[in-house]
Amino acid sequence: MLILDGRKITKEIEERLKAKIQETGIEPSLAIFYVGSHPAIEQFIKMKVRFGEAIGMQVTVYRFPETEDATTILHTIERAKEKHDGMIVQLPVPEGLSALSFIDAVPVEKDVDVLRAETFTLFTTNQTAFLPGVVGAIDELAKAYAISFTGKIVAVVGHGRLVGIPVVAWLKRQGVEPIVLDATNDLLH
Protein backbone atom coordinates (compact mmCIF):
# COMPACT_ATOMS: atom_id res chain seq x y z
CA MET A 1 0.00 0.00 0.00
CA LEU A 2 1.27 3.46 -0.91
CA ILE A 3 1.13 6.01 1.92
CA LEU A 4 1.14 9.61 0.75
CA ASP A 5 3.09 12.00 2.99
CA GLY A 6 1.30 15.32 2.59
CA ARG A 7 3.51 17.11 5.13
CA LYS A 8 6.64 16.12 3.22
CA ILE A 9 5.14 17.38 -0.05
CA THR A 10 4.01 20.62 1.64
CA LYS A 11 7.57 21.23 2.84
CA GLU A 12 8.92 20.59 -0.66
CA ILE A 13 6.37 23.01 -2.15
CA GLU A 14 7.28 25.57 0.50
CA GLU A 15 10.99 25.32 -0.35
CA ARG A 16 10.29 25.51 -4.09
CA LEU A 17 8.10 28.60 -3.75
CA LYS A 18 10.48 30.28 -1.32
CA ALA A 19 13.35 29.82 -3.76
CA LYS A 20 11.25 31.14 -6.65
CA ILE A 21 10.25 34.25 -4.69
CA GLN A 22 13.86 34.88 -3.62
CA GLU A 23 14.98 34.43 -7.23
CA THR A 24 12.51 37.02 -8.54
CA GLY A 25 13.12 39.45 -5.70
CA ILE A 26 9.43 40.36 -5.73
CA GLU A 27 7.38 39.84 -2.56
CA PRO A 28 3.90 38.68 -3.59
CA SER A 29 0.90 39.73 -1.54
CA LEU A 30 -2.24 37.79 -0.66
CA ALA A 31 -5.46 39.19 0.82
CA ILE A 32 -7.83 36.97 2.78
CA PHE A 33 -11.33 38.29 3.49
CA TYR A 34 -12.86 36.59 6.51
CA VAL A 35 -16.33 37.29 7.87
CA GLY A 36 -17.38 35.85 11.22
CA SER A 37 -15.57 33.80 13.80
CA HIS A 38 -15.14 30.04 13.95
CA PRO A 39 -12.26 28.20 15.69
CA ALA A 40 -11.67 25.75 12.80
CA ILE A 41 -11.61 28.55 10.22
CA GLU A 42 -9.30 30.59 12.47
CA GLN A 43 -6.84 27.67 12.49
CA PHE A 44 -7.11 27.30 8.73
CA ILE A 45 -6.33 30.99 8.25
CA LYS A 46 -3.36 30.75 10.65
CA MET A 47 -1.99 27.91 8.49
CA LYS A 48 -2.34 30.04 5.35
CA VAL A 49 -0.61 33.00 7.01
CA ARG A 50 2.23 30.81 8.35
CA PHE A 51 2.76 29.19 4.96
CA GLY A 52 2.74 32.58 3.22
CA GLU A 53 5.26 34.02 5.65
CA ALA A 54 7.47 30.93 5.31
CA ILE A 55 7.77 31.41 1.54
CA GLY A 56 8.25 35.18 1.75
CA MET A 57 4.74 36.28 0.83
CA GLN A 58 2.91 39.09 2.57
CA VAL A 59 -0.49 37.88 3.80
CA THR A 60 -3.11 40.35 5.01
CA VAL A 61 -6.27 39.08 6.68
CA TYR A 62 -9.22 41.47 6.50
CA ARG A 63 -11.50 40.42 9.37
CA PHE A 64 -15.14 41.38 9.70
CA PRO A 65 -17.66 40.58 12.42
CA GLU A 66 -20.53 38.40 11.24
CA THR A 67 -22.80 41.42 11.72
CA GLU A 68 -20.86 43.51 9.17
CA ASP A 69 -22.90 44.80 6.27
CA ALA A 70 -22.12 43.61 2.75
CA THR A 71 -21.42 47.13 1.46
CA THR A 72 -18.50 47.60 3.86
CA ILE A 73 -17.02 44.22 2.92
CA LEU A 74 -17.41 44.89 -0.81
CA HIS A 75 -15.84 48.34 -0.39
CA THR A 76 -12.85 46.76 1.41
CA ILE A 77 -12.43 44.17 -1.36
CA GLU A 78 -12.59 46.95 -3.96
CA ARG A 79 -9.91 49.01 -2.18
CA ALA A 80 -7.68 45.95 -1.69
CA LYS A 81 -7.57 45.07 -5.41
CA GLU A 82 -4.67 47.44 -6.07
CA LYS A 83 -2.66 46.29 -3.05
CA HIS A 84 -2.59 42.52 -3.53
CA ASP A 85 -1.52 40.00 -6.17
CA GLY A 86 -3.98 37.35 -5.03
CA MET A 87 -7.27 37.40 -3.13
CA ILE A 88 -9.28 34.81 -1.21
CA VAL A 89 -12.80 35.02 0.18
CA GLN A 90 -12.72 32.64 3.12
CA LEU A 91 -15.78 30.42 3.04
CA PRO A 92 -18.28 29.96 4.47
CA VAL A 93 -19.66 33.43 5.11
CA PRO A 94 -22.38 33.94 7.72
CA GLU A 95 -26.00 33.38 6.81
CA GLY A 96 -27.63 36.47 5.36
CA LEU A 97 -24.54 37.49 3.37
CA SER A 98 -23.93 36.51 -0.23
CA ALA A 99 -20.64 34.67 -0.65
CA LEU A 100 -21.13 34.97 -4.41
CA SER A 101 -21.22 38.78 -4.30
CA PHE A 102 -17.89 38.82 -2.44
CA ILE A 103 -16.35 36.19 -4.75
CA ASP A 104 -17.50 38.11 -7.83
CA ALA A 105 -15.84 41.28 -6.45
CA VAL A 106 -12.43 39.57 -6.71
CA PRO A 107 -10.81 40.16 -10.12
CA VAL A 108 -10.44 37.02 -12.24
CA GLU A 109 -6.65 37.41 -12.41
CA LYS A 110 -6.45 37.55 -8.59
CA ASP A 111 -8.91 34.72 -7.83
CA VAL A 112 -6.39 32.21 -6.50
CA ASP A 113 -9.12 29.89 -5.16
CA VAL A 114 -10.77 29.69 -8.61
CA LEU A 115 -14.21 30.45 -7.21
CA ARG A 116 -15.53 33.00 -9.71
CA ALA A 117 -17.54 31.47 -12.53
CA GLU A 118 -15.21 33.06 -15.10
CA THR A 119 -12.08 31.76 -13.38
CA PHE A 120 -13.60 28.29 -13.08
CA THR A 121 -14.36 28.31 -16.83
CA LEU A 122 -10.73 29.26 -17.52
CA PHE A 123 -9.66 26.38 -15.26
CA THR A 124 -11.92 23.81 -16.97
CA THR A 125 -10.64 24.89 -20.40
CA ASN A 126 -7.00 24.85 -19.24
CA GLN A 127 -6.56 28.61 -19.75
CA THR A 128 -5.27 29.52 -16.28
CA ALA A 129 -2.35 28.42 -14.15
CA PHE A 130 -4.52 28.57 -11.02
CA LEU A 131 -5.96 25.35 -9.67
CA PRO A 132 -8.69 25.14 -7.05
CA GLY A 133 -7.16 24.31 -3.66
CA VAL A 134 -8.15 20.65 -3.43
CA VAL A 135 -7.24 20.05 -7.08
CA GLY A 136 -3.85 21.65 -6.52
CA ALA A 137 -3.22 19.38 -3.55
CA ILE A 138 -4.23 16.26 -5.49
CA ASP A 139 -2.13 17.36 -8.47
CA GLU A 140 0.97 17.91 -6.30
CA LEU A 141 0.57 14.53 -4.60
CA ALA A 142 0.01 12.78 -7.93
CA LYS A 143 3.16 14.38 -9.38
CA ALA A 144 5.26 13.66 -6.30
CA TYR A 145 4.28 10.00 -6.21
CA ALA A 146 4.04 9.50 -10.01
CA ILE A 147 0.35 8.61 -9.79
CA SER A 148 -1.55 8.56 -13.05
CA PHE A 149 -5.34 8.40 -13.12
CA THR A 150 -5.45 7.49 -16.80
CA GLY A 151 -6.98 4.08 -17.41
CA LYS A 152 -8.09 3.79 -13.80
CA ILE A 153 -11.54 3.69 -12.26
CA VAL A 154 -11.70 6.90 -10.24
CA ALA A 155 -14.46 7.75 -7.77
CA VAL A 156 -15.12 11.24 -6.46
CA VAL A 157 -17.23 11.47 -3.33
CA GLY A 158 -19.69 14.35 -3.58
CA HIS A 159 -20.20 17.05 -6.15
CA GLY A 160 -19.88 20.23 -4.11
CA ARG A 161 -18.53 23.51 -5.45
CA LEU A 162 -15.28 23.41 -3.45
CA VAL A 163 -14.22 19.78 -3.93
CA GLY A 164 -16.31 17.48 -6.12
CA ILE A 165 -17.04 19.73 -9.10
CA PRO A 166 -13.44 21.00 -9.50
CA VAL A 167 -11.94 17.51 -9.03
CA VAL A 168 -14.31 16.04 -11.63
CA ALA A 169 -13.47 18.87 -14.08
CA TRP A 170 -9.73 18.36 -13.52
CA LEU A 171 -9.99 14.61 -14.08
CA LYS A 172 -12.01 15.15 -17.27
CA ARG A 173 -9.30 17.53 -18.52
CA GLN A 174 -6.97 14.55 -18.23
CA GLY A 175 -9.30 12.28 -20.17
CA VAL A 176 -10.61 10.45 -17.09
CA GLU A 177 -14.36 9.96 -16.67
CA PRO A 178 -14.82 9.65 -12.89
CA ILE A 179 -17.70 8.05 -11.04
CA VAL A 180 -19.35 10.59 -8.73
CA LEU A 181 -20.75 9.16 -5.52
CA ASP A 182 -23.12 10.98 -3.19
CA ALA A 183 -25.97 10.30 -0.81
CA THR A 184 -28.23 9.28 -3.73
CA ASN A 185 -25.82 6.45 -4.60
CA ASP A 186 -25.40 3.39 -2.42
CA LEU A 187 -22.59 5.21 -0.61
CA LEU A 188 -24.37 5.41 2.71
CA HIS A 189 -26.12 2.03 2.59
Side-chain angles (χ1 to χ4, degrees):
M1 176 192 324
L2 177 63
I3 297 175
L4 307 180
D5 187 347
R7 289 176 199 235
K8 175 184 169 223
I9 303 308
T10 299
K11 192 68 179 162
E12 290 171 5
I13 294 167
E14 182 182 302
E15 294 301 320
R16 186 174 69 225
L17 292 174
K18 183 177 182 177
K20 193 172 198 172
I21 288 170
Q22 288 174 342
E23 182 182 300
T24 64
I26 299 169
E27 179 186 33
S29 175
L30 176 69
I32 301 172
F33 303 94
Y34 175 45
V35 187
S37 178
H38 189 281
I41 302 295
E42 293 285 344
Q43 282 304 114
F44 195 53
I45 289 174
K46 281 181 187 176
M47 289 170 47
K48 290 177 184 183
V49 170
R50 270 197 304 265
F51 186 85
E53 289 172 350
I55 65 171
M57 177 172 60
Q58 177 192 6
V59 181
T60 304
V61 180
Y62 295 87
R63 296 176 187 275
F64 304 94
E66 65 181 70
T67 56
E68 190 66 75
D69 65 284
T71 304
T72 300
I73 298 165
L74 289 168
H75 182 68
T76 303
I77 293 171
E78 184 63 37
R79 284 193 338 255
K81 287 178 184 179
E82 298 304 315
K83 299 177 188 174
H84 301 284
D85 302 301
M87 302 171 87
I88 294 173
V89 174
Q90 184 63 56
L91 299 177
V93 300
E95 209 171 295
L97 293 173
S98 168
L100 193 55
S101 69
F102 303 145
I103 290 166
D104 285 344
V106 173
V108 170
E109 68 277 5
K110 296 184 182 204
D111 179 18
V112 297
D113 268 351
V114 190
L115 291 176
R116 282 184 64 121
E118 299 93 334
T119 317
F120 188 77
T121 299
L122 292 172
F123 156 69
T124 59
T125 57
N126 210 18
Q127 295 180 56
T128 181
F130 292 142
L131 295 177
V134 171
V135 171
I138 295 168
D139 186 55
E140 288 289 345
L141 285 166
K143 287 176 186 172
Y145 289 94
I147 298 169
S148 172
F149 299 103
T150 307
K152 307 258 182 4
I153 298 172
V154 179
V156 175
V157 179
H159 50 80
R161 179 136 165 55
L162 296 179
V163 178
I165 293 171
V167 170
V168 167
W170 177 73
L171 288 166
K172 287 183 176 184
R173 271 182 26 188
Q174 297 179 57
V176 175
E177 194 60 47
I179 299 167
V180 179
L181 303 172
D182 62 22
T184 62
N185 298 104
D186 287 338
L187 183 62
L188 302 176
H189 304 285

